[in-house]
Amino acid sequence: MSINTSTACHKDSTKHINIIPVCMYSCISIVGLIFNLTALVFFFSHTKSRSQTIVYMTNLAIADVLLILTLPMRIYYHLGFSGLPQWLCDGLGLVLKANMYGSIFLLTSISFDRCMAVTFPMSTCVQEGRKKAPLVCLGIWMLTFGASLPIYLSRRQVSHERCFDNLPVYATLPMVVLPTLLLGFWIPLVIMLICSWHLVRAIRLSTVAQTDLVDSKKIQKMIATSLLVFLLSFLPYHTTLLLLSLYRENIPCPMLAAYRYSLMVACFNTVLDPIVYYFTTDTFRNVGVRAVWRMFPLNSRSSENRVPNNN
């Protein structure tokens, strides 16, 4: 079925250079690696003042670096070279997909953590929950790689393998694609939208947003940037994944090409994530908890003496 479609649409990558994948993956590898390694150096050099958000961003940078390290083999393959063992292709594909969904969950965690810090700054329960950020990250790593293993194992039984030009046969099964879309994209997107709405609302209700103490426009730009990065990176991939599942018995060649390009766009997230790092660390580090706490009219009058310092 879809394997035959893959064969009909496939152009043998071992005989010529696929210039677009080579250029895209090369750009992502170089720029993304520089940006994320720079971010990791910054994060690890500020271990004494690490907030929960920094914990999530550190793990996000690590996930991005791991994804980027799988791209040189894709460049090698699209340059027209042959000889890559199928187990290596499948293993690198597993690492790429696991870290892609790890990035999605970590971006969602950053948004949720930021929302909790602003909305409930004095709640002991919330602050104690935020301190479990390392455990949340560990759970994300276990979930993403554990959920990706069935895909890796299922490909052992698929014939006509073509390394990185394979169709996501297992991932487009109805019993797989629906949980993937729901848990791996739509629920995180809804959480990010709700958290962003609460943050924007908090800014608009603040008593200091009109002063120089808080740069409300910059915070709103940060919120919009986070959402835009998420949508630009992952909406095309999950849209094409849904279309592939609907037409999996007879997939048109343009749809197969769209899937491959959407995967490149998803990988480009590793370059866009440092933009999120910049806005988050720069804005919230400069604003500080005292300013955020005073953004609420009631709090600005009732708690002059007690300000948490664990953000």
Side-chain angles (χ1 to χ4, degrees), residues 247-261:
Y247 293 93
R248 67 188 311 270
E249 297 295 335
N250 188 20
I251 299 176
C253 292
M255 192 179 296
L256 178 59
Y259 168 78
R260 291 167 180 160
Y261 287 123

Side-chain angles (χ1 to χ4, degrees), residues 113-147:
D113 177 79
R114 198 162 51 212
C115 182
M116 292 295 100
V118 172
T119 308
F120 305 104
M122 299 299 294
S123 172
T124 303
C125 180
V126 170
Q127 297 306 324
E128 289 299 320
R130 293 183 64 225
K131 292 179 181 179
K132 293 180 172 54
L135 292 178
V136 174
C137 293
L138 177 61
I140 289 174
W141 286 105
M142 295 175 63
L143 173 63
T144 52
F145 276 92

